[in-house]
Amino acid sequence: MTGPTVDAGGDQSTVTEPIPATDRAPGAATVAVLGALVALGPLTTDLYLPALPGLTADLHSTAPAAQLTLTGSLLGLALGQLLFGPLSDRLGRRRPLLVGMAVYTLATVVCALADSMAVLVVGRALQGAAGAAGLVISRAIVRDRLEGVAMIRFLASMGLISGLAPILAPVVGAQLLHVTDWRGTFAVLAVLGALLTAGAALWLRETLPAEKRHGDGLSTTVRAIGGLLRDRPFLGYVLTSTFAFGALFAYVGGSSVVLQTVYGVSPQTYSLIFAVNSIAVVGFTQLNGRVLVQRFSSRSLLIVGLAAAALAGGAVVLFTTAWDVGLAGVWPALFLLMASMGIVLPNSSAQALTMAPHAAGSASALLGTGTFLCGSVVAPLSSAGGHPSALALGAVVLTCAVIALAAYLALCRPQPAETARASV
């Protein structure tokens, strides 16, 4: 049996054997499909947000009930990775990915046709769980094919694509409402799901050889996950990535209400601030992948990046208590936070995946699940007291960054190559 063809860059092939590991960069089509699969998460959660008031009224529901559609999606994205990651270690990457994307497309159609809030919440949870296949398996595919600096570079290329998603999704969603209603936003996501299903079928080949799969059932999967969690350095990288994302989610979840309510900025000004800060994380992701990883060890980059994130959180606390300078102090601090994420997140993820070549799917699942669970907890904390608070936002960012740095220093040992590089 033959399939689509693959060129020298590894994008298509007329044979079904897995692609061997290489340090050669994949072709543009592979980068685009994998980047879009990673971007599917923020697109799924953010594209419909401008339509929340409309769908609440249309379904004769309440705002708290409508918020459950977001909660359901986030929980689906978190828990779905625990399903599809280990499943891809057992069955290979391609089949679970195609099934997940097909189910995502069907679940999105259910959301578009929902006639009650209950149906929409269930559809969103299923949509998130199925969409998690794209998030977790795309990272596992990268680990199968690349390692070291080449992997970090490729993660940077994917990050450029996926980093634009949370910037553009609310804007695109708002513009869609000029020509359609909330159902139309889900129709767009359904079309995107169908296109990604086709793109994965055409451009992504199997990357996990049969001899490297865990084919002994659920018990083997559980042992693999347990073994990863008992590995101190791997657990350290997972905790580092998880709490670094926690700092990021605190900003994403709290900056809108804090900047507009506390500092009185207009929606247009907030959009500008959010866009500039998002450009910072995308830009530093590219700088990290193309320049910094060639000149500095990942340990040095992670320590500096996490220290910068902690400094950003501490600055927000300082600028709202001892030295109240208003937005002029808070905005640069938030910019520093986002820039630090461009260094911390790709390096922590890459190091975690490097330590688990035997179970890349499970490792990717643990990374992703921790991220979304932590994000769902910390995102609303800036308004935990009933009122938006810049002090609370800064405190959450500072706490998450300090925990991430402490986990890294306590659990992650320097790798031999890093020690050698540091001694030069």
Short mmCIF file of all heavy atoms in Angstrom, two decimals, residues 167-200:
data_model
loop_
_atom_site.label_atom_id
_atom_site.label_comp_id
_atom_site.label_asym_id
_atom_site.label_seq_id
_atom_site.Cartn_x
_atom_site.Cartn_y
_atom_site.Cartn_z
N ILE A 167 -3.00 36.58 19.17
CA ILE A 167 -3.06 37.99 18.80
C ILE A 167 -4.18 38.22 17.80
O ILE A 167 -4.98 39.16 17.92
CB ILE A 167 -1.72 38.45 18.19
CG1 ILE A 167 -0.56 38.16 19.14
CG2 ILE A 167 -1.77 39.93 17.84
CD1 ILE A 167 0.80 38.45 18.54
N LEU A 168 -4.26 37.34 16.80
CA LEU A 168 -5.18 37.55 15.70
C LEU A 168 -6.58 37.01 15.97
O LEU A 168 -7.56 37.52 15.41
CB LEU A 168 -4.62 36.91 14.43
CG LEU A 168 -3.28 37.46 13.93
CD1 LEU A 168 -2.83 36.67 12.71
CD2 LEU A 168 -3.39 38.93 13.60
N ALA A 169 -6.69 35.96 16.81
CA ALA A 169 -7.98 35.29 16.96
C ALA A 169 -9.11 36.22 17.41
O ALA A 169 -10.17 36.25 16.78
CB ALA A 169 -7.85 34.10 17.91
N PRO A 170 -8.93 37.00 18.49
CA PRO A 170 -10.05 37.88 18.88
C PRO A 170 -10.36 38.93 17.82
O PRO A 170 -11.53 39.30 17.63
CB PRO A 170 -9.55 38.53 20.18
CG PRO A 170 -8.48 37.62 20.68
CD PRO A 170 -7.83 37.06 19.45
N VAL A 171 -9.33 39.43 17.14
CA VAL A 171 -9.56 40.43 16.09
C VAL A 171 -10.34 39.83 14.94
O VAL A 171 -11.32 40.40 14.44
CB VAL A 171 -8.21 41.00 15.60
CG1 VAL A 171 -8.43 41.99 14.45
CG2 VAL A 171 -7.46 41.66 16.74
N VAL A 172 -9.91 38.64 14.49
CA VAL A 172 -10.62 37.97 13.41
C VAL A 172 -12.04 37.62 13.83
O VAL A 172 -13.00 37.79 13.06
CB VAL A 172 -9.85 36.71 12.97
CG1 VAL A 172 -10.66 35.90 11.95
CG2 VAL A 172 -8.50 37.08 12.38
N GLY A 173 -12.19 37.15 15.07
CA GLY A 173 -13.52 36.82 15.57
C GLY A 173 -14.45 38.01 15.57
O GLY A 173 -15.63 37.91 15.20
N ALA A 174 -13.92 39.18 15.98
CA ALA A 174 -14.75 40.39 15.97
C ALA A 174 -15.14 40.80 14.56
O ALA A 174 -16.27 41.24 14.31
CB ALA A 174 -14.00 41.52 16.66
N GLN A 175 -14.22 40.65 13.61
CA GLN A 175 -14.54 41.01 12.23
C GLN A 175 -15.55 40.04 11.62
O GLN A 175 -16.40 40.44 10.82
CB GLN A 175 -13.26 41.02 11.38
CG GLN A 175 -12.23 42.06 11.81
CD GLN A 175 -12.82 43.47 11.85
OE1 GLN A 175 -13.46 43.91 10.91
NE2 GLN A 175 -12.61 44.16 12.97
N LEU A 176 -15.47 38.77 12.01
CA LEU A 176 -16.44 37.80 11.49
C LEU A 176 -17.86 38.17 11.89
O LEU A 176 -18.82 37.89 11.15
CB LEU A 176 -16.11 36.40 12.02
CG LEU A 176 -14.93 35.67 11.36
CD1 LEU A 176 -14.63 34.37 12.09
CD2 LEU A 176 -15.24 35.38 9.89
N LEU A 177 -18.00 38.80 13.05
CA LEU A 177 -19.34 39.16 13.52
C LEU A 177 -19.99 40.25 12.67
O LEU A 177 -21.19 40.48 12.77
CB LEU A 177 -19.28 39.61 14.98
CG LEU A 177 -18.88 38.53 15.99
CD1 LEU A 177 -18.86 39.09 17.41
CD2 LEU A 177 -19.84 37.34 15.92
N HIS A 178 -19.19 40.90 11.81
CA HIS A 178 -19.77 41.87 10.89
C HIS A 178 -20.51 41.17 9.75
O HIS A 178 -21.38 41.78 9.11
CB HIS A 178 -18.67 42.77 10.30
CG HIS A 178 -18.10 43.74 11.28
ND1 HIS A 178 -18.85 44.71 11.91
CD2 HIS A 178 -16.84 43.89 11.75
CE1 HIS A 178 -18.09 45.41 12.71
NE2 HIS A 178 -16.85 44.93 12.64
N VAL A 179 -20.17 39.91 9.49
CA VAL A 179 -20.77 39.21 8.35
C VAL A 179 -21.54 37.95 8.77
O VAL A 179 -22.23 37.35 7.95
CB VAL A 179 -19.70 38.83 7.31
CG1 VAL A 179 -19.06 40.08 6.72
CG2 VAL A 179 -18.61 37.94 7.93
N THR A 180 -21.39 37.55 10.03
CA THR A 180 -22.08 36.35 10.49
C THR A 180 -22.36 36.48 11.98
O THR A 180 -22.08 37.52 12.59
CB THR A 180 -21.24 35.09 10.20
OG1 THR A 180 -21.99 33.92 10.57
CG2 THR A 180 -19.94 35.11 10.97
N ASP A 181 -22.89 35.43 12.59
CA ASP A 181 -23.13 35.44 14.03
C ASP A 181 -22.18 34.44 14.70
O ASP A 181 -21.22 33.96 14.08
CB ASP A 181 -24.59 35.11 14.34
CG ASP A 181 -25.01 33.75 13.79
OD1 ASP A 181 -24.14 33.02 13.26
OD2 ASP A 181 -26.21 33.41 13.87
N TRP A 182 -22.46 34.10 15.97
CA TRP A 182 -21.56 33.21 16.68
C TRP A 182 -21.47 31.84 16.04
O TRP A 182 -20.42 31.18 16.09
CB TRP A 182 -21.98 33.08 18.14
CG TRP A 182 -23.33 32.42 18.36
CD1 TRP A 182 -24.54 33.03 18.38
CD2 TRP A 182 -23.56 31.02 18.58
NE1 TRP A 182 -25.54 32.10 18.61
CE2 TRP A 182 -24.96 30.86 18.75
CE3 TRP A 182 -22.75 29.90 18.67
CZ2 TRP A 182 -25.55 29.62 18.98
CZ3 TRP A 182 -23.33 28.67 18.92
CH2 TRP A 182 -24.70 28.53 19.06
N ARG A 183 -22.55 31.41 15.41
CA ARG A 183 -22.50 30.11 14.73
C ARG A 183 -21.50 30.14 13.57
O ARG A 183 -20.85 29.12 13.27
CB ARG A 183 -23.89 29.72 14.23
CG ARG A 183 -24.91 29.54 15.35
CD ARG A 183 -26.26 29.08 14.82
NE ARG A 183 -27.28 29.08 15.87
CZ ARG A 183 -27.48 28.09 16.72
NH1 ARG A 183 -26.74 27.00 16.63
NH2 ARG A 183 -28.42 28.17 17.64
N GLY A 184 -21.37 31.28 12.95
CA GLY A 184 -20.42 31.41 11.85
C GLY A 184 -18.98 31.25 12.29
O GLY A 184 -18.14 30.74 11.54
N THR A 185 -18.66 31.70 13.53
CA THR A 185 -17.29 31.53 14.02
C THR A 185 -16.95 30.05 14.17
O THR A 185 -15.82 29.62 13.88
CB THR A 185 -17.09 32.26 15.36
OG1 THR A 185 -17.95 31.69 16.35
CG2 THR A 185 -17.41 33.74 15.21
N PHE A 186 -17.93 29.27 14.63
CA PHE A 186 -17.69 27.82 14.73
C PHE A 186 -17.64 27.17 13.35
O PHE A 186 -16.92 26.18 13.16
CB PHE A 186 -18.76 27.17 15.61
CG PHE A 186 -18.58 27.44 17.08
CD1 PHE A 186 -19.43 28.31 17.75
CD2 PHE A 186 -17.54 26.86 17.78
CE1 PHE A 186 -19.25 28.57 19.10
CE2 PHE A 186 -17.36 27.12 19.13
CZ PHE A 186 -18.21 27.98 19.80
N ALA A 187 -18.39 27.71 12.41
CA ALA A 187 -18.31 27.19 11.04
C ALA A 187 -16.90 27.40 10.48
O ALA A 187 -16.35 26.52 9.80
CB ALA A 187 -19.34 27.87 10.16
N VAL A 188 -16.30 28.56 10.78
CA VAL A 188 -14.92 28.81 10.33
C VAL A 188 -13.97 27.82 10.97
O VAL A 188 -13.07 27.27 10.30
CB VAL A 188 -14.52 30.26 10.67
CG1 VAL A 188 -13.03 30.47 10.44
CG2 VAL A 188 -15.33 31.24 9.82
N LEU A 189 -14.13 27.55 12.27
CA LEU A 189 -13.27 26.57 12.94
C LEU A 189 -13.48 25.17 12.37
O LEU A 189 -12.52 24.38 12.26
CB LEU A 189 -13.56 26.56 14.44
CG LEU A 189 -13.06 27.76 15.24
CD1 LEU A 189 -13.53 27.68 16.69
CD2 LEU A 189 -11.53 27.85 15.18
N ALA A 190 -14.71 24.83 11.98
CA ALA A 190 -14.97 23.52 11.37
C ALA A 190 -14.24 23.39 10.04
O ALA A 190 -13.65 22.35 9.72
CB ALA A 190 -16.47 23.31 11.18
N VAL A 191 -14.27 24.46 9.24
CA VAL A 191 -13.54 24.45 7.96
C VAL A 191 -12.04 24.31 8.21
O VAL A 191 -11.35 23.55 7.52
CB VAL A 191 -13.85 25.72 7.16
CG1 VAL A 191 -12.94 25.82 5.94
CG2 VAL A 191 -15.31 25.75 6.73
N LEU A 192 -11.54 25.05 9.22
CA LEU A 192 -10.12 24.94 9.55
C LEU A 192 -9.77 23.52 9.98
O LEU A 192 -8.73 22.98 9.59
CB LEU A 192 -9.79 25.92 10.67
CG LEU A 192 -8.34 25.90 11.19
CD1 LEU A 192 -7.36 26.24 10.07
CD2 LEU A 192 -8.16 26.87 12.35
N GLY A 193 -10.65 22.89 10.78
CA GLY A 193 -10.40 21.52 11.19
C GLY A 193 -10.35 20.57 10.02
O GLY A 193 -9.49 19.68 9.95
N ALA A 194 -11.25 20.75 9.06
CA ALA A 194 -11.26 19.90 7.87
C ALA A 194 -9.99 20.11 7.05
O ALA A 194 -9.40 19.14 6.54
CB ALA A 194 -12.50 20.20 7.03
N LEU A 195 -9.55 21.37 6.91
CA LEU A 195 -8.33 21.64 6.15
C LEU A 195 -7.10 21.04 6.82
O LEU A 195 -6.22 20.49 6.14
CB LEU A 195 -8.16 23.15 5.99
CG LEU A 195 -9.15 23.86 5.07
CD1 LEU A 195 -8.93 25.38 5.10
CD2 LEU A 195 -9.04 23.34 3.64
N LEU A 196 -7.04 21.12 8.15
CA LEU A 196 -5.90 20.54 8.86
C LEU A 196 -5.92 19.02 8.81
O LEU A 196 -4.85 18.39 8.77
CB LEU A 196 -5.88 21.03 10.31
CG LEU A 196 -5.40 22.46 10.51
CD1 LEU A 196 -5.47 22.86 11.97
CD2 LEU A 196 -3.97 22.61 10.01
N THR A 197 -7.11 18.44 8.82
CA THR A 197 -7.19 16.98 8.66
C THR A 197 -6.63 16.58 7.31
O THR A 197 -5.83 15.63 7.21
CB THR A 197 -8.66 16.51 8.77
OG1 THR A 197 -9.19 16.93 10.03
CG2 THR A 197 -8.74 14.99 8.69
N ALA A 198 -7.02 17.31 6.27
CA ALA A 198 -6.50 17.02 4.93
C ALA A 198 -5.00 17.30 4.84
O ALA A 198 -4.24 16.53 4.25
CB ALA A 198 -7.26 17.85 3.89
N GLY A 199 -4.56 18.41 5.46
CA GLY A 199 -3.14 18.75 5.43
C GLY A 199 -2.28 17.71 6.13
O GLY A 199 -1.21 17.34 5.65
N ALA A 200 -2.77 17.22 7.27
CA ALA A 200 -2.03 16.19 7.99
C ALA A 200 -1.96 14.90 7.18
O ALA A 200 -0.93 14.21 7.15
CB ALA A 200 -2.67 15.93 9.35
#
